[in-house]
Amino acid sequence: MEIGISTFVETTPDVVTGEVISHAQRLREVVEEIVLADKVGLDVFGVGEHHRQDYAASSPAVLLAAAAPQTSRIRLTSAVTVLSSDDPVRVFQDFATLDGLSNGRAEIMAGRGSFIESFPLFGYDLDDYDELFDEKLDLLLKLCASEKVTWEGKHRPAIRNLGIYPRPVQQPLPVWIGSGGNTESVIRAGLLGLPLVLAIIGGRPVQFAPLVKMYKRAAAQAGHDASKLTVASHSHGFVAERNEVAVEKFFPSTQAAMNVIGRERGWGRYDRGSYDAARSPEGALYVGDPETVANKIIDLRKRVGITRFMLHCPLGTMPHEDVMRSIELLGTEVAPRVREEIAHWEAAGEEEA
């Protein structure tokens, strides 16, 4: 069971002071967070791509590359790369470069993205939303599989037997499919035999169990060994020494961030009742002391079949020292509990969801 962190590198106003830190400061803080995550034994760190004022990371590969020489074992991934509005050749080259700098620890998490700012920015039509992703994923996978590529599509100039460099250390460079729970994307990942990341950020996580079964069934039907496929979750959360401390520290920024997004998308107001329901044993928030968070991750593994868990922290803007302490506790106290319990569970031969 892999445990890690994901971040969108947010620079929203501090809920107490109203201060907005610079993009530059937040980028440097995230490098410190990646280095700490590696030091405390976490398995993976993911950075999401966004193109708007309240997020600082428009180029995850560059940010991850800044941390690569300062780390030794942690895997470095996008979370996600908005492949529909990017050039697969540049995506491959950027992450192949990261793979070289990290000596084989880079990953690409390819997704459509939940925001649309990148489409007009790079000159794409939202009417081509699905077609763009399918076409560009096809090219990206060909780039990962072969040094020289011949390819033709509708939305990008053709490639005629050209070499794409640098080549990564890993053969092939890992590509994950990121999904918010869309049935088509889950089946696509299975048919391609690619690892799957589910954004489990609302509702009841157990509701994702049928999607995992659907994914593995599609993989098996396509001739892939479903038992070897990995399924990750990306879920909001925060860890502190005491349950009540974690709950009170994480609520203000979570409420602010959820209400900003909610206003944009027509959601209802996010209040303390919404928060408390989400952090209940059946909810999708992983907030609390190490034991509480560990138990929820273990339950997610047993009931849904997740094999990698990524805690999205912070949500909104939180003090950097609080985020660092959460990462430290996740690595030193939560992860060992989860790994030990899962090892005992697997040794006993208990079946997954």
Side-chain angles (χ1 to χ4, degrees):
M1 181 73 176
E2 293 182 316
I3 308 289
I5 291 286
S6 59
T7 181
F8 289 169
V9 198
E10 291 159 89
T11 56
T12 53
D14 185 282
V15 292
V16 176
T17 67
E19 178 188 5
V20 179
I21 66 172
S22 68
H23 289 160
Q25 179 180 339
R26 185 68 191 118
L27 289 166
R28 292 192 296 269
E29 288 178 352
V30 170
V31 172
E32 293 178 7
E33 291 164 13
I34 299 171
V35 171
L36 176 62
D38 181 67
K39 180 180 178 181
V40 299
L42 290 173
D43 299 294
V44 58
F45 201 106
V47 174
E49 174 191 345
H50 294 87
H51 300 270
R52 46 188 284 162
Q53 184 179 12
D54 46 353
Y55 297 90
S58 61
S59 180
V62 174
L63 179 52
L64 294 166
Q70 303 180 60
T71 58
S72 61
R73 62 174 298 276
I74 196 167
R75 300 194 65 77
L76 305 169
T77 183
S78 56
V80 298
T81 290
V82 186
L83 189 60
S84 303
S85 58
D86 212 331
D87 179 4
V89 174
R90 293 301 294 163
V91 170
F92 175 83
Q93 290 176 324
D94 287 348
F95 281 87
T97 300
L98 173 63
D99 204 50
L101 290 169
S102 64
N103 195 27
R105 293 183 281 123
E107 298 178 358
I108 301 169
M109 190 187 297
R112 302 163 190 266
S114 61
F115 294 94
I116 61 172
E117 289 83 5
S118 62
F119 287 82
L121 182 63
F122 296 111
Y124 291 103
D125 191 331
L126 279 171
D127 289 340
D128 300 324
Y129 188 80
D130 293 323
E131 190 176 82
L132 282 165
F133 184 77
D134 291 344
E135 181 177 294
K136 293 188 176 192
L137 179 62
D138 176 66
L139 175 54
L140 179 62
L141 294 178
K142 284 182 169 58
L143 297 168
C144 291
S146 177
E147 179 177 338
K148 289 196 172 182
V149 172
T150 295
W151 178 90
E152 186 171 348
K154 178 180 176 182
H155 298 281
R156 188 200 186 283
I159 301 173
R160 307 294 185 193
N161 194 35
L162 296 177
I164 312 298
Y165 307 103
R167 301 310 298 175
V169 174
Q170 300 174 92
Q171 298 292 340
L173 185 64
V175 175
W176 295 63
I177 298 297
S179 172
N182 178 277
T183 300
E184 291 182 3
S185 62
V186 166
I187 292 174
R188 178 192 292 107
L191 293 175
L192 293 171
L194 297 175
L196 173 68
V197 185
L198 293 167
I200 304 179
I201 58 175
R204 298 169 62 241
V206 71
Q207 294 174 324
F208 285 78
L211 289 175
V212 173
K213 291 180 179 179
M214 187 183 300
Y215 162 67
K216 292 187 175 182
R217 187 162 54 247
Q221 290 172 351
H224 304 291
D225 185 349
S227 67
K228 294 182 179 179
L229 294 177
T230 49
V231 183
S233 72
H234 154 97
S235 300
H236 301 147
F238 179 75
V239 191
E241 287 86 350
R242 301 197 316 278
N243 215 52
E244 59 272 20
V245 172
V247 169
E248 296 307 319
K249 282 190 173 184
F250 195 61
F251 173 65
S253 64
T254 296
Q255 181 186 39
M258 294 299 288
N259 280 328
V260 167
I261 297 172
R263 284 192 294 272
E264 294 177 1
R265 302 183 182 184
W267 298 346
R269 179 170 172 75
Y270 190 92
D271 57 19
R272 185 56 185 253
S274 307
Y275 178 75
D276 288 340
R279 67 180 183 85
S280 71
E282 293 294 320
L285 271 185
Y286 292 75
V287 178
D289 59 27
E291 183 177 5
T292 298
V293 174
N295 287 340
K296 286 195 72 169
I297 296 172
I298 292 165
D299 187 65
L300 186 66
R301 170 61 184 270
K302 290 182 176 181
R303 300 177 69 185
V304 181
I306 298 301
T307 54
R308 172 188 280 186
F309 178 84
M310 299 180 71
L311 187 78
H312 181 87
C313 180
L315 179 56
T317 294
M318 295 182 69
H320 180 48
E321 59 270 21
D322 288 343
V323 177
M324 293 285 276
R325 183 58 177 154
S326 181
I327 292 171
E328 183 178 8
L329 289 169
L330 185 69
T332 59
E333 297 195 28
V334 175
R337 281 180 167 91
V338 173
R339 292 169 183 147
E340 183 178 2
E341 174 64 22
I342 296 300
H344 286 321
W345 176 58
E346 291 180 337
E350 297 184 35
E351 294 186 0
E352 292 184 2

